[in-house]
Amino acid sequence: MRHDEERPRTSGFLADGTVPGHWTQVLGSMRANPFTHLFPDEVRAEAAHLLIIAPSPEVAHACFAEMLDSFGDSVEIAAVGKLVPEHVPAGTWVFLPHRQDGWTDLEDASAKLRATLVKENSSREADRKLVLMEYGINLWMWAEPPSSGGDPVCHAGELISWESAWALGASGAESSKSRTSPPAASARPPIYFGLPPILRQRRWES
């Protein structure tokens, strides 16, 4: 189930599929670890703007419901292939579809867009840089262990690295509960790949 022709039949899992047990464990571990976990307030303090690149608004809302609810108007959604890199404001955190997501057309488009954004970033002054990260889509539908017939590319133990992925949790009064509790929504939560500066700094200082 890793091909573009399967997308119409499988995309319903983004909105309707419950979080598999092993993903609940992975997410719980990441939220309990200060080196892989950020609260929305910390992201808000670090990011001047949030830009989600997605194949459709429906996918963006299915994958980023918590983030969209937390950040409101400071989050922008753009379609793959419609972005003008030089127009992205300085300090923006850009979330791109993962280049090993499983949907071949999306992987190709994301890789090309990422290359364009990297080129754009290389010509910017230090205070105008962008922060590029990736997130999975197909990952949340088919991330089953190989022992259960899953694709090893999507298996948490092979793709998720504690050094390159992080999770977003609740803030305020919900913070302590969110460190151990699974997400309330049925949509599978995204885990973000590529450390943002704040987490990279924590590792340097530890």
Side-chain angles (χ1 to χ4, degrees):
M1 297 285 187
R2 299 186 69 247
H3 306 287
D4 293 301
E5 59 267 21
E6 300 286 351
R7 193 179 308 187
R9 187 159 66 86
T10 61
S11 59
F13 282 94
L14 282 170
D16 303 326
T18 55
V19 180
H22 65 284
W23 275 112
T24 300
Q25 295 171 11
V26 168
L27 191 61
S29 296
M30 295 182 77
R31 286 180 167 172
N33 186 336
F35 297 123
T36 56
H37 177 265
L38 285 182
F39 294 111
D41 288 346
E42 293 175 312
V43 178
R44 192 177 289 108
E46 294 286 322
H49 189 69
L50 298 177
L51 175 61
I52 298 169
I53 311 296
S56 70
E58 290 77 17
V59 167
H61 283 279
C63 286
F64 291 90
E66 290 181 53
M67 184 174 282
L68 291 168
D69 289 344
S70 297
F71 291 87
D73 294 337
S74 65
V75 183
E76 179 185 355
I77 299 172
V80 178
K82 301 291 186 181
L83 184 68
V84 180
E86 56 266 31
H87 293 170
V88 180
T92 297
W93 285 16
V94 183
F95 296 93
L96 291 157
H98 200 280
R99 290 166 291 171
Q100 295 181 15
D101 180 75
W103 287 340
T104 53
D105 286 351
L106 185 60
E107 286 179 342
D108 187 54
S110 183
K112 290 177 180 176
L113 180 56
R114 184 182 181 87
T116 304
L117 285 165
V118 168
K119 182 178 179 181
E120 165 66 22
N121 231 12
S122 67
S123 65
R124 293 191 176 200
E125 299 294 333
D127 60 349
R128 298 194 65 251
K129 297 284 187 183
L130 310 173
V131 177
L132 305 181
M133 286 166 288
E134 296 181 74
Y135 67 95
I137 297 177
N138 196 47
L139 184 65
W140 318 131
M141 295 190 289
W142 301 111
E144 301 298 335
S147 60
S148 302
D151 189 325
V153 171
C154 292
H155 178 38
E158 298 188 28
L159 183 57
I160 295 284
S161 163
W162 305 133
E163 297 298 318
S164 64
W166 56 281
L168 188 69
S171 60
E174 301 177 10
S175 61
S176 60
K177 180 181 178 181
S178 71
R179 292 180 186 271
T180 56
S181 300
S186 63
R188 304 194 181 191
I191 293 178
Y192 313 106
F193 300 87
L195 290 178
I198 182 175
L199 284 184
R200 196 175 301 278
Q201 187 67 28
R202 282 184 194 172
R203 290 166 191 267
W204 290 340
E205 294 174 352
S206 66

